[in-house]
Amino acid sequence: MTTTTQTEAGRPTLAERYATFMSRHSSLMPTFAAIVILIVLLVGAQFAFGNFITPRNMSALLLNNAYLLILAVGLTFVILTGGIDLSVGSVMAFTGILCAKLLADGLPAIVAIPLMLLGGAAIGLLIGVLVHYFDVQPFIASLAGLFLARGLAFVVSLSSIRVEDPAVLWLQRTRLTVGDWYLTPTGILALLIVAIGVFVTQWTRFGRTIYAIGGNEQSARLMGLPVARTKILVYVISGVCGGLAGLVLTAYSGAGYPLNGVGTELDAIAAVVIGGTLLTGGSGYVIGSMIGVLVYGVIKTIIAFMGAEQSWTRIIIGGLLLVFIVVQRFIVTRSDRRR
């Protein structure tokens, strides 16, 4: 009498079940890792300082990083297609100083804000056209957009311009409180952008096309997907998010300044990668980018509590980024082997 094994009986073995689970959920592993890091940072800081996880500190975490969160959402769209956008920090500075200048010249906020968003969208459109129709590498095309936007910011003004428009300042100064917790309109705007980003990427045809392009652009073309329109639109979305971030930062600081956002594009890219989006495209989540921004913000807050130089923030983020790139390389290699 012979004994039938699980495999012979048609049931998968434990190793096969593990392989199936990993193949289905490997794209979630970097995001899970980011969540674990965030929890470890919060718990460790609470043990170290005793008063870290408080309503005031946690509310300030969103308030201080709202502009970065908006930039990260726009960059997630771009990176999911396998592209990159280095212009977002400069677009934020240009649109911010443009808004301040228009308001100082007497233009009402209801007109100035749409104009600044159109300015960001125009730069994104230019980058998208260069990438798709002129076959320029995204790095080079967005680098050109970076210099263009920064140059335009200096054309608008060489010095900071104070904002006194009550509608713009209301975005930052208003506090919606629940007990000791508070939320500002800028924070609500950032969370709304995250919610829209999650919905678009996960539950719309446009979102599925983004993932398809990032996975294999040639296959997406053969399937008849609108590759050209989608690739251009993701850069336009990134430009609009740059404009919104400019509005949020202008409200936050109370002024527009042409040197705002220097290096911010690298912070946003780091947050997106730490949140689990593959730089090669095709895998990642907007909610993961939000986790990456929170990790970045918590590290900055911890360093401030320690009284150390903020340069340590970039050192630690650089180390985390290196680790996540290695993890991503491992995931991509395993995926290629399965194919």
Side-chain angles (χ1 to χ4, degrees):
M1 180 177 178
T2 59
T3 302
T4 304
T5 65
Q6 284 186 329
T7 303
E8 291 172 338
R11 299 176 181 177
T13 63
L14 182 61
E16 289 171 338
R17 290 177 182 175
Y18 173 77
T20 301
F21 175 84
M22 290 301 293
S23 65
R24 290 179 179 176
H25 302 283
S26 60
S27 63
L28 291 171
M29 299 309 291
T31 302
F32 284 145
I35 293 173
V36 171
I37 289 174
L38 178 61
I39 294 173
V40 169
L41 287 172
L42 290 172
V43 173
Q46 179 64 23
F47 275 110
F49 304 114
N51 61 341
F52 189 84
I53 303 179
T54 63
R56 181 178 178 181
N57 285 339
M58 295 301 99
S59 298
L61 188 62
L62 177 60
L63 171 70
N64 296 335
N65 296 283
Y67 71 92
L68 186 62
L69 181 54
I70 294 172
L71 291 180
V73 172
L75 270 171
T76 304
F77 278 80
V78 173
I79 295 175
L80 282 173
T81 64
I84 198 74
D85 188 357
L86 299 176
S87 72
V88 291
S90 297
V91 169
M92 180 177 68
F94 163 58
T95 55
I97 193 71
L98 177 63
C99 180
K101 176 65 173 175
L102 293 174
L103 293 173
D105 289 344
L107 212 62
I110 196 172
V111 177
I113 292 174
L115 285 177
M116 69 183 293
L117 296 181
L118 283 174
I123 294 176
L125 176 63
L126 175 62
I127 296 172
V129 169
L130 288 174
V131 169
H132 184 74
Y133 288 108
F134 292 89
D135 203 25
V136 178
Q137 288 293 325
F139 179 89
I140 301 299
S142 60
L143 186 63
L146 180 153
F147 286 118
L148 173 63
R150 188 65 65 180
L152 289 172
F154 283 112
V155 167
V156 174
S157 176
L158 294 175
S159 59
S160 65
I161 301 176
R162 186 177 179 83
V163 174
E164 298 180 354
D165 186 276
V168 173
L169 296 178
W170 172 85
L171 293 172
Q172 181 65 22
R173 294 178 178 175
T174 303
R175 295 287 191 276
L176 307 175
T177 60
V178 177
D180 292 333
W181 295 86
Y182 67 85
L183 192 60
T184 63
T186 54
I188 294 173
L189 177 61
L191 293 176
L192 180 62
I193 295 300
V194 170
I196 293 172
V198 170
F199 174 78
V200 171
T201 54
Q202 300 301 315
W203 289 291
T204 67
R205 184 183 179 189
F206 177 68
R208 291 190 292 271
T209 303
I210 290 174
Y211 281 98
I213 293 172
N216 191 314
E217 184 174 332
Q218 187 59 35
S219 296
R221 291 180 190 276
L222 294 174
M223 287 189 291
L225 297 176
V227 173
R229 182 178 64 194
T230 303
K231 287 183 68 176
I232 292 174
L233 273 177
V234 295
Y235 285 98
V236 172
I237 290 171
S238 183
V240 171
C241 286
L244 285 172
L247 174 63
V248 168
L249 185 60
T250 300
Y252 180 80
S253 61
Y257 187 50
L259 284 175
N260 276 339
V262 174
T264 305
E265 61 276 352
L266 303 180
D267 296 335
I269 292 171
V272 172
V273 173
I274 290 172
T277 300
L278 294 184
L279 285 170
T280 51
S283 180
Y285 303 93
V286 169
I287 199 71
S289 297
M290 184 180 76
I291 300 299
V293 170
L294 293 178
V295 168
Y296 177 88
V298 169
I299 291 173
K300 283 179 61 178
T301 307
I302 290 173
I303 291 173
F305 266 65
M306 294 171 61
E309 293 289 336
Q310 280 298 322
S311 58
W312 281 100
T313 301
R314 297 193 178 277
I315 294 172
I316 296 171
I317 290 295
L320 281 176
L321 189 60
L322 179 62
V323 170
F324 273 78
I325 288 175
V326 172
V327 170
Q328 288 187 5
R329 185 67 255 174
F330 174 74
I331 292 172
V332 171
T333 301
R334 284 177 60 90
S335 178
D336 291 342
R337 286 176 179 174
R338 290 193 191 100
R339 293 173 185 173

